[in-house]
Amino acid sequence: MFNPPDAQTFFETVWDIVLQIPPGKVSSYGQIASMIPPRADMEPERMRNLAPRWVGTAMRKTPRGKSIPWQRVINSQGSISFPAGSPQAEEQRRLLEMEGVEFDDRGKVDFALVAWHGPDDAYLRRQGLLPPRPLK
DNA sequence: CGTTTGACTACGC
DNA sequence: CGCGTAGCCAAAC
């Protein structure tokens, strides 16, 4: 379903992308999924349905020793996906607020303010997703 | 092995 | 809005 750079698993690709999200910004499972090139033999629509859950699975399976800004990944509604009131949800919100992300009275963030718009060109180039140099 | 479980989403009420 | 549900399938039981 994914076409990551050689030898990289889908999970690793997800973790790598999450690492690119800067402090104070957030992304959603679906957005991250859309940043991973779909496998050529899979229908785009099918990919769209599946990928977000796989991103969630990847996050859940993040190795203990691996340090990534996991708190910057929330759901498409702009809210935290852990059950409200759970220790994990509290921790995620705390970490995000610490970097300046604000939540409204319903526990949602304003994507217009804090949405991350994807990896920068340098990253894409490194992954072979853009020509070595801007074509200009 | 068959069954259950998700850090999801889009959509319909 | 909030809530329920179908669609989906790799992992974990």
Side-chain angles (χ1 to χ4, degrees), chain A residues 62-121:
Chain A
T62 303
R64 259 180 156 285
K66 198 172 183 63
S67 176
I68 65 174
W70 59 274
Q71 73 273 23
R72 297 174 196 149
V73 185
I74 62 181
N75 64 35
S76 64
Q77 309 311 303
S79 55
I80 286 172
S81 276
F82 288 108
S86 68
Q88 297 178 102
E90 304 270 299
E91 173 69 352
Q92 184 167 13
R93 175 161 177 158
R94 190 183 68 79
L95 289 170
L96 285 175
E97 289 183 323
M98 206 153 49
E99 23 186 271
V101 176
E102 297 184 351
F103 292 79
D104 65 17
D105 56 356
R106 265 170 276 159
K108 295 189 175 186
V109 306
D110 184 352
F111 273 128
L113 294 176
V114 300
W116 177 55
H117 298 301
D120 57 26
D121 288 357

Side-chain angles (χ1 to χ4, degrees), chain A residues 14-80:
Chain A
V14 170
W15 300 326
D16 195 32
I17 288 176
V18 172
L19 276 169
Q20 312 303 316
I21 309 175
K25 294 292 182 182
V26 302
S27 192
S28 73
Y29 304 90
Q31 287 178 338
I32 288 172
S34 69
M35 294 172 198
I36 299 175
R39 210 167 64 181
D41 61 352
M42 183 178 278
E43 294 295 329
E45 183 165 347
R46 188 161 169 237
M47 171 79 181
R48 178 171 56 73
N49 291 332
L50 306 185
R53 281 196 96 123
W54 290 351
V55 170
T57 299
M59 293 304 287
R60 182 163 37 96
K61 293 203 63 186
T62 303
R64 259 180 156 285
K66 198 172 183 63
S67 176
I68 65 174
W70 59 274
Q71 73 273 23
R72 297 174 196 149
V73 185
I74 62 181
N75 64 35
S76 64
Q77 309 311 303
S79 55
I80 286 172

